[in-house]
Each structure stands twice: as C-alpha cells, then as structure tokens.
Amino acid sequence: MTIKQQGGIFGRNPTFNDLTVEGDLTSSGTITLGADSVSGDAIDGGTATPENISTSGTASFDTSVVANNSQGDNDFHVKSSGADYGIFHDASSKYTGFGTVPSNMIHMKYAGDYEMKFENASSNAYFQMRSSSSGVRLANYLGMGTNVTNGGFFFDLNGNGEVRWGRNNSQIMTIEANNNLNLRGGAGNITFASGSGIDFSSTSDASGSTSELFDDYEEGTWTPSLGGDTTYTVQEGYYVKVGSLVNVKATILVNAIGTGSVDTISGLPYTNGGGIAACNVAYWGTIATAVNHLVGTVTSDGTTIVMRGVTTAASTVSTITTFQNSAYVELTATYSTLT
C-alpha cells in the first residue's frame, strides 16, 4: 500500500491515530516515532514482530538497541530460541563477543587494556591475547584469574622491553632489554642434540680453522689403576672435557703393590688422539728410587700414563720404580682426542 498526499486531502501534516499496513511501507522522508510510542516490545498494546528490516540510508538511535534481552545489563545481544547469547555487546563490562556470559565465549574487551579471549569457564580455562600499558601477552590460563596457574603458560613483551616466557605464574626464561638471556630462578638447562651446540662462526677465523662449533662439555670421574692385585688407600680420578681437550687429575696412594705395575697408570676416560702429552706431577712420596724430578706422559693413541724420573745419580730421564707399598702420587695432565 502506498499513501500519498494529494491536493491537501490530509493537509500538510497529517496525523494518523491508527495505521495498519499490510503491504510495504515506503518513505522518501523521515518517519518519527515519539518516545512514548514504543513500550518494551509492544506497540499500542500489540506486538511488533519484524521479519526483515532494510534501509538505504542511515538508521539512527538515541538509546541502546536490544533484541531478545533477558540476560541483565547488556546493551545488545542476539540469541536463538531457548539459548544464551549468540552475539552481544555489554557496555558496562566493556565486552563485545560471541557466545555466552561469562562462559564459553569468544570476546573482545576494553577495560584498562585490550584483549581477545577464547574462554570456557565450565572447564576453568581460557586462551588470551592482551595488549595494555604494561605490554603484550599471549597466554593459556588453566585456572581463572589474572595470573597463569595450574599448568598454564604465558609469553609476553612487557613494558620494560623484556620478552618473557613462563608457566604456573612464574617466569622461566627472559630475554632482557640488553638482549641477555636469563633462565629465571636458576632452574633448567639449555640442551642440544648430539652434534649441535653453540656456533661461533660469526667471529673472525684463523687460517686453517675447520670448526667453530662448541658442541661438547663434560665433567666426570675415572679410576686410575696400576692393575694386578694392587690395593689402595686412595684411588681417585677426575676429568673435565671441553670440546676435544681433556683435563685429568689423579691421586694414588698404594696400600700394597702386589702384582700391579710399578710405573704405568691406566684407565684414562678418553683416548689420546695422537702424540705424547706431558703430565704435571704435583706431589710424590715413598717411591722406590730417590729422584730429583718425577714426570709422567700420556701414551700416544692410548689411555695410560707412564711415569719417568731423574735419579740423584743421573741427569737423564729413566725408567724407575715409582710405585711400591705406600707410594703416593698426585698428578694432572691435558691431552686432546683429535687424531
């Protein structure tokens, strides 16, 4: 139905007390409804149930628009029959999202910071992306609240310029503003797969350099032995391996030499890669032959140390009986596993 003003039949400003439109109502001007014309969802005691509303201009409202409002203080929401919210906006809580309030939702919020949250309150968990004056955070919260608890994790860039990783509301690792890497709390290690490590290839190379990969560090113990049926009061060995370089320390105090070697210590933790390596004998006592100086050498391509000395009657290094009952030697040595 179309209503037109023709020749002043209705005057310039017609007033209709009751108007029923069964077809389409089209206006090229403005249709104004007074504030008292609509109460709730009723018009003049009836019910307005529009199926399709379209406008080619701008629809302007001076107050909030509510569809199927039954969930409290919400400015706008759309729901299916018998269900909670589908789409909603809550100005008082500053939420806009999809789903229900407060559980099982995807929502965006502004309340001192900006966030997007995927939330499931029934399982007490949510995933959040947040930006605020204190930084940016990406987090999985297992246990509702402002902190990450019960196995949750977070990754953020805080207001101090730090990049932080953590879980259970504790920082695990931080790249500080000065680019230092800090493992928080002194817990945890940096681990590498076998053959991998710290690559120093960005540094200048000496001619002949074949590798700048630091891929091995090890500390441990070894058992210096004279073999046979020797018994010991002290029999200790320690080592540190850095890359291909092995540093060893040994202490032997013989109880009874028996059939053991009198000049050879075996049991080094790694094989010497080639060429003899000298030992530094820190102390000796109660050896079978009096000497001015006692030395040891790591055998080439072997895992033994041979003891030699200079006697008071000679100036050349010679084989001596180093070990006997109660003989005592402390030594250190450095050698390489490279061949």
Side-chain angles (χ1 to χ4, degrees):
M1 182 187 78
T2 301
I3 301 175
K4 296 183 179 179
Q5 180 179 343
Q6 295 180 350
I9 297 176
F10 301 107
R12 292 190 59 82
N13 298 294
T15 299
F16 301 94
N17 292 325
D18 296 288
L19 177 63
T20 300
V21 180
E22 296 179 354
D24 297 329
L25 175 61
T26 303
S27 172
S28 59
T30 301
I31 298 177
T32 301
L33 299 176
D36 59 352
S37 298
V38 179
S39 176
D41 60 359
I43 300 178
D44 290 340
T47 300
T49 309
E51 294 182 357
N52 295 286
I53 300 175
S54 62
T55 176
S56 59
T58 300
S60 177
F61 304 92
D62 291 332
T63 185
S64 62
V65 176
V66 179
N68 292 325
N69 180 33
S70 61
Q71 299 290 329
D73 186 19
N74 292 277
D75 295 278
F76 175 81
H77 76 267
V78 177
K79 55 178 275 188
S80 59
S81 177
D84 289 330
Y85 298 159
I87 304 171
F88 66 89
H89 174 71
D90 182 340
S92 63
S93 298
K94 301 178 181 176
Y95 283 106
T96 300
F98 308 89
T100 61
V101 178
S103 63
N104 304 320
M105 70 166 71
I106 303 171
H107 75 249
M108 294 165 284
K109 177 183 177 182
Y110 172 73
D113 57 11
Y114 298 88
E115 72 177 17
M116 173 172 281
K117 185 185 294 185
F118 300 82
E119 181 174 342
N120 186 342
S122 61
S123 63
N124 203 30
Y126 58 83
F127 178 77
Q128 178 194 61
M129 293 171 284
R130 187 181 72 192
S131 175
S132 69
S133 59
S134 60
V136 178
R137 169 166 288 200
L138 177 67
N140 173 38
Y141 287 62
L142 302 176
M144 306 294 278
T146 58
N147 295 319
V148 184
T149 59
N150 303 327
F153 76 89
F154 67 86
F155 166 76
D156 65 24
L157 172 63
N158 67 15
N160 297 323
E162 296 179 331
V163 179
R164 308 183 302 175
W165 291 262
R167 67 171 179 267
N168 298 335
N169 201 29
S170 298
Q171 294 182 53
I172 297 173
M173 182 171 65
T174 301
I175 299 178
E176 298 174 336
N178 58 7
N179 293 328
N180 287 337
L181 178 63
N182 189 332
L183 297 181
R184 296 288 179 177
N189 301 302
I190 299 175
T191 60
F192 300 94
S194 179
S196 300
I198 302 174
D199 190 347
F200 292 96
S201 58
S202 60
T203 60
S204 58
D205 302 340
S207 59
S209 173
T210 59
S211 176
E212 293 180 83
L213 183 69
F214 179 46
D215 60 356
D216 191 18
Y217 177 86
E218 187 178 329
E219 299 178 4
T221 61
W222 63 289
T223 304
S225 175
L226 303 178
D229 60 357
T230 299
T231 59
Y232 308 88
T233 302
V234 179
Q235 185 186 24
E236 297 176 343
Y238 303 93
Y239 74 90
V240 175
K241 184 175 185 290
V242 182
S244 62
L245 205 62
V246 184
N247 298 276
V248 296
K249 177 182 178 181
T251 302
I252 291 179
L253 173 56
V254 177
N255 177 42
I257 189 67
T259 60
S261 173
V262 297
D263 64 0
T264 302
I265 302 171
S266 62
L268 287 172
Y270 287 93
T271 300
N272 183 18
I276 62 173
C279 297
N280 176 42
V281 179
Y283 180 84
W284 73 89
T286 319
I287 60 177
T289 306
V291 297
N292 287 334
H293 188 60
L294 186 67
V295 297
T297 56
V298 181
T299 56
S300 178
D301 301 316
T303 57
T304 60
I305 297 174
V306 177
M307 306 302 298
R308 295 289 183 266
V310 178
T311 67
T312 56
S315 59
T316 59
V317 176
S318 60
T319 302
I320 62 170
T321 302
T322 305
F323 296 103
Q324 61 177 2
N325 294 346
S326 300
Y328 179 56
V329 170
E330 290 184 4
L331 62 84
T332 59
T334 300
Y335 64 96
S336 175
T337 60
L338 292 178
T339 57

Coordinates of all heavy atoms in Angstrom, one line a residue, residues 155-203:
F155 N 53.4 -15.9 27.3 CA 54.5 -15.3 26.5 C 54.2 -13.9 26.4 O 53.1 -13.5 26.0 CB 54.6 -16.0 25.2 CG 55.5 -15.2 24.2 CD1 56.9 -15.3 24.3 CD2 54.9 -14.5 23.2 CE1 57.6 -14.5 23.4 CE2 55.7 -13.8 22.3 CZ 57.1 -13.8 22.4
D156 N 55.1 -13.0 26.8 CA 54.7 -11.6 26.7 C 55.9 -10.7 26.5 O 57.1 -11.1 26.6 CB 53.9 -11.1 28.0 CG 54.8 -11.2 29.3 OD1 56.0 -11.1 29.2 OD2 54.2 -11.3 30.3
L157 N 55.6 -9.5 26.0 CA 56.6 -8.4 25.9 C 56.1 -7.3 26.9 O 55.1 -6.7 26.6 CB 56.6 -7.9 24.5 CG 57.5 -6.6 24.2 CD1 58.9 -6.9 24.5 CD2 57.3 -6.1 22.8
N158 N 56.9 -7.2 28.0 CA 56.3 -6.3 29.0 C 56.8 -4.8 28.7 O 57.5 -4.5 27.8 CB 56.7 -6.8 30.4 CG 58.3 -6.7 30.7 OD1 59.0 -6.0 29.9 ND2 58.7 -7.3 31.7
G159 N 56.3 -3.9 29.6 CA 56.6 -2.5 29.4 C 58.1 -2.2 29.6 O 58.5 -1.0 29.3
N160 N 58.9 -3.1 30.2 CA 60.3 -2.8 30.3 C 61.2 -3.3 29.1 O 62.4 -3.3 29.2 CB 60.8 -3.5 31.6 CG 60.2 -3.0 32.9 OD1 59.9 -1.8 33.0 ND2 59.9 -3.9 33.8
G161 N 60.5 -3.7 28.1 CA 61.2 -4.2 26.9 C 61.7 -5.6 27.0 O 62.6 -6.0 26.3
E162 N 61.2 -6.4 28.0 CA 61.7 -7.8 28.2 C 60.7 -8.7 27.5 O 59.5 -8.5 27.5 CB 61.7 -8.1 29.6 CG 62.7 -7.4 30.5 CD 62.7 -7.8 31.9 OE1 61.6 -8.2 32.4 OE2 63.8 -7.7 32.6
V163 N 61.2 -9.7 26.8 CA 60.4 -10.8 26.3 C 60.5 -12.0 27.3 O 61.6 -12.4 27.6 CB 61.0 -11.3 24.9 CG1 60.1 -12.4 24.4 CG2 60.9 -10.1 23.9
R164 N 59.4 -12.4 27.8 CA 59.3 -13.4 28.9 C 58.5 -14.6 28.5 O 57.5 -14.5 27.8 CB 58.8 -12.8 30.1 CG 59.4 -11.5 30.6 CD 58.9 -10.9 31.9 NE 57.4 -10.7 31.8 CZ 56.7 -10.4 32.8 NH1 57.2 -10.2 34.0 NH2 55.4 -10.2 32.7
W165 N 59.0 -15.8 28.9 CA 58.2 -17.0 28.8 C 58.0 -17.5 30.3 O 58.9 -17.4 31.1 CB 59.0 -18.0 28.0 CG 59.1 -17.8 26.6 CD1 58.3 -18.3 25.6 CD2 60.1 -16.9 25.9 NE1 58.8 -17.8 24.4 CE2 59.8 -17.0 24.6 CE3 61.1 -16.2 26.4 CZ2 60.6 -16.3 23.6 CZ3 61.9 -15.5 25.5 CH2 61.7 -15.5 24.1
G166 N 56.9 -18.2 30.5 CA 56.7 -18.7 31.9 C 55.5 -19.6 31.9 O 54.8 -19.8 31.0
R167 N 55.4 -20.3 33.1 CA 54.2 -21.1 33.4 C 54.0 -21.1 34.9 O 54.9 -20.7 35.7 CB 54.4 -22.5 32.9 CG 55.5 -23.3 33.6 CD 55.5 -24.8 33.2 NE 56.6 -25.5 33.9 CZ 57.8 -25.7 33.4 NH1 58.1 -25.2 32.2 NH2 58.7 -26.4 34.1
N168 N 52.8 -21.5 35.3 CA 52.4 -21.5 36.7 C 52.7 -20.2 37.4 O 53.2 -20.2 38.6 CB 53.2 -22.7 37.4 CG 52.8 -24.0 36.9 OD1 51.8 -24.2 36.3 ND2 53.7 -25.0 37.0
N169 N 52.5 -19.1 36.7 CA 52.7 -17.8 37.3 C 54.1 -17.4 37.6 O 54.4 -16.6 38.4 CB 51.8 -17.6 38.5 CG 51.6 -16.1 38.8 OD1 51.5 -15.3 37.9 ND2 51.4 -15.7 40.0
S170 N 55.1 -18.2 37.0 CA 56.5 -17.9 37.3 C 57.2 -17.8 35.9 O 57.0 -18.5 35.0 CB 57.1 -19.0 38.1 OG 56.5 -19.1 39.3
Q171 N 58.2 -16.8 35.9 CA 59.0 -16.7 34.7 C 60.0 -17.8 34.6 O 60.6 -18.2 35.6 CB 59.7 -15.4 34.7 CG 58.9 -14.1 34.6 CD 59.7 -12.9 34.6 OE1 60.6 -12.7 33.8 NE2 59.4 -12.0 35.5
I172 N 60.1 -18.4 33.4 CA 61.1 -19.4 33.1 C 62.3 -18.9 32.4 O 63.4 -19.2 32.8 CB 60.5 -20.6 32.3 CG1 59.3 -21.2 33.1 CG2 61.5 -21.6 31.9 CD1 58.6 -22.2 32.3
M173 N 62.1 -18.1 31.4 CA 63.2 -17.5 30.6 C 62.8 -16.1 30.2 O 61.7 -15.8 29.9 CB 63.4 -18.4 29.4 CG 64.5 -18.0 28.5 SD 64.9 -19.2 27.2 CE 63.4 -19.1 26.2
T174 N 63.8 -15.2 30.2 CA 63.6 -13.8 29.8 C 64.8 -13.4 28.9 O 65.9 -13.7 29.2 CB 63.6 -12.9 31.0 OG1 62.6 -13.3 31.9 CG2 63.4 -11.5 30.7
I175 N 64.4 -12.8 27.8 CA 65.4 -12.0 27.0 C 65.3 -10.6 27.5 O 64.3 -9.9 27.3 CB 65.1 -12.1 25.5 CG1 65.2 -13.5 25.0 CG2 66.1 -11.2 24.7 CD1 64.9 -13.7 23.5
E176 N 66.3 -10.1 28.2 CA 66.3 -8.8 28.9 C 66.4 -7.7 27.9 O 66.7 -7.9 26.7 CB 67.3 -8.8 29.9 CG 67.1 -9.8 31.0 CD 68.3 -9.9 32.0 OE1 69.4 -9.4 31.6 OE2 68.1 -10.3 33.2
A177 N 66.2 -6.5 28.3 CA 66.2 -5.3 27.4 C 67.6 -5.1 26.8 O 67.8 -4.6 25.7 CB 65.8 -4.1 28.2
N178 N 68.7 -5.6 27.5 CA 70.0 -5.5 27.0 C 70.4 -6.7 26.1 O 71.6 -7.0 25.8 CB 71.0 -5.4 28.1 CG 70.9 -6.6 29.1 OD1 70.2 -7.5 28.9 ND2 71.7 -6.4 30.2
N179 N 69.4 -7.6 25.8 CA 69.5 -8.8 25.0 C 70.2 -10.0 25.6 O 70.5 -11.0 25.0 CB 70.2 -8.5 23.6 CG 69.4 -7.5 22.8 OD1 68.2 -7.6 22.8 ND2 70.1 -6.7 22.0
N180 N 70.4 -9.9 27.0 CA 70.9 -11.1 27.7 C 69.8 -12.1 27.9 O 68.6 -11.7 28.1 CB 71.5 -10.6 29.1 CG 72.8 -9.9 29.0 OD1 73.5 -10.0 28.0 ND2 73.1 -9.1 30.0
L181 N 70.2 -13.4 27.8 CA 69.2 -14.4 28.0 C 69.3 -14.9 29.5 O 70.4 -15.2 30.0 CB 69.5 -15.6 27.1 CG 68.6 -16.9 27.3 CD1 67.2 -16.5 27.0 CD2 69.2 -18.0 26.4
N182 N 68.2 -14.9 30.2 CA 68.2 -15.2 31.6 C 67.3 -16.3 31.9 O 66.1 -16.2 31.6 CB 67.8 -13.9 32.4 CG 68.0 -14.1 33.9 OD1 67.9 -15.2 34.5 ND2 68.2 -13.0 34.6
L183 N 67.8 -17.4 32.4 CA 67.0 -18.5 32.9 C 66.6 -18.2 34.3 O 67.5 -18.3 35.2 CB 67.7 -19.9 32.7 CG 68.1 -20.3 31.3 CD1 68.8 -21.6 31.4 CD2 66.9 -20.4 30.4
R184 N 65.4 -17.9 34.5 CA 64.9 -17.4 35.8 C 65.0 -18.5 36.9 O 64.7 -19.7 36.6 CB 63.5 -16.8 35.7 CG 63.4 -15.6 34.8 CD 64.0 -14.4 35.5 NE 64.0 -13.2 34.6 CZ 64.4 -12.0 35.0 NH1 64.9 -11.8 36.1 NH2 64.3 -11.0 34.1
G185 N 65.3 -18.1 38.1 CA 65.3 -19.0 39.3 C 66.4 -20.0 39.3 O 66.4 -20.9 40.2
G186 N 67.3 -19.9 38.4 CA 68.5 -20.9 38.4 C 68.1 -22.3 38.0 O 68.9 -23.2 38.2
A187 N 66.9 -22.5 37.5 CA 66.4 -23.8 37.2 C 66.4 -24.0 35.6 O 66.2 -23.1 34.9 CB 65.0 -24.0 37.7
G188 N 66.7 -25.2 35.2 CA 66.7 -25.6 33.8 C 68.0 -25.4 33.1 O 68.9 -24.7 33.6
N189 N 68.2 -26.1 32.0 CA 69.4 -26.1 31.2 C 69.1 -25.8 29.8 O 68.0 -26.1 29.3 CB 70.2 -27.4 31.4 CG 70.6 -27.7 32.8 OD1 71.2 -26.9 33.4 ND2 70.1 -28.8 33.3
I190 N 70.1 -25.4 29.0 CA 70.0 -25.3 27.6 C 70.5 -26.6 27.0 O 71.7 -26.9 27.3 CB 70.7 -24.1 27.0 CG1 70.1 -22.8 27.6 CG2 70.6 -24.1 25.5 CD1 70.9 -21.6 27.2
T191 N 69.8 -27.4 26.3 CA 70.2 -28.7 25.8 C 70.3 -28.6 24.3 O 69.5 -27.9 23.6 CB 69.3 -29.8 26.3 OG1 68.0 -29.6 25.8 CG2 69.2 -29.9 27.8
F192 N 71.2 -29.4 23.7 CA 71.4 -29.5 22.3 C 71.4 -31.0 21.9 O 71.8 -31.9 22.6 CB 72.7 -28.9 21.9 CG 72.9 -27.5 22.2 CD1 73.5 -27.1 23.4 CD2 72.5 -26.5 21.4 CE1 73.7 -25.8 23.7 CE2 72.6 -25.2 21.7 CZ 73.2 -24.8 22.9
A193 N 70.9 -31.2 20.7 CA 71.0 -32.6 20.1 C 72.5 -32.9 19.9 O 73.3 -32.0 19.7 CB 70.2 -32.6 18.8
S194 N 72.8 -34.2 19.8 CA 74.2 -34.6 19.6 C 74.7 -34.1 18.3 O 74.0 -34.2 17.3 CB 74.2 -36.2 19.6 OG 75.5 -36.6 19.3
G195 N 75.9 -33.5 18.4 CA 76.5 -32.9 17.2 C 76.1 -31.4 17.0 O 76.7 -30.8 16.1
S196 N 75.2 -30.9 17.8 CA 74.8 -29.5 17.7 C 75.4 -28.8 19.0 O 75.8 -29.4 20.0 CB 73.3 -29.3 17.7 OG 72.8 -30.0 16.6
G197 N 75.4 -27.4 18.9 CA 76.0 -26.7 20.1 C 75.9 -25.2 19.8 O 75.0 -24.7 19.1
I198 N 76.9 -24.5 20.3 CA 77.0 -23.0 20.1 C 77.9 -22.7 18.9 O 79.1 -23.2 19.0 CB 77.5 -22.3 21.4 CG1 76.6 -22.6 22.6 CG2 77.5 -20.8 21.2 CD1 77.1 -22.1 23.9
D199 N 77.4 -22.0 18.0 CA 78.1 -21.8 16.7 C 78.8 -20.4 16.8 O 78.1 -19.4 16.9 CB 77.2 -21.9 15.5 CG 77.9 -21.8 14.2 OD1 79.1 -21.5 14.2 OD2 77.3 -22.1 13.2
F200 N 80.1 -20.4 16.7 CA 80.9 -19.1 16.8 C 81.4 -18.7 15.4 O 82.3 -17.9 15.3 CB 82.1 -19.2 17.7 CG 81.7 -19.4 19.2 CD1 81.6 -20.6 19.8 CD2 81.4 -18.3 20.0 CE1 81.3 -20.8 21.1 CE2 81.1 -18.4 21.3 CZ 81.0 -19.7 21.9
S201 N 80.7 -19.1 14.4 CA 81.2 -18.8 13.0 C 81.1 -17.3 12.7 O 81.7 -16.9 11.7 CB 80.4 -19.6 12.0 OG 79.0 -19.4 12.1
S202 N 80.4 -16.6 13.5 CA 80.3 -15.1 13.2 C 81.6 -14.4 13.6 O 81.8 -13.2 13.2 CB 79.1 -14.5 13.9 OG 79.2 -14.7 15.3
T203 N 82.4 -15.1 14.4 CA 83.7 -14.4 14.8 C 84.7 -14.6 13.7 O 84.6 -15.5 12.8 CB 84.2 -15.0 16.1 OG1 84.4 -16.5 15.9 CG2 83.2 -14.8 17.2

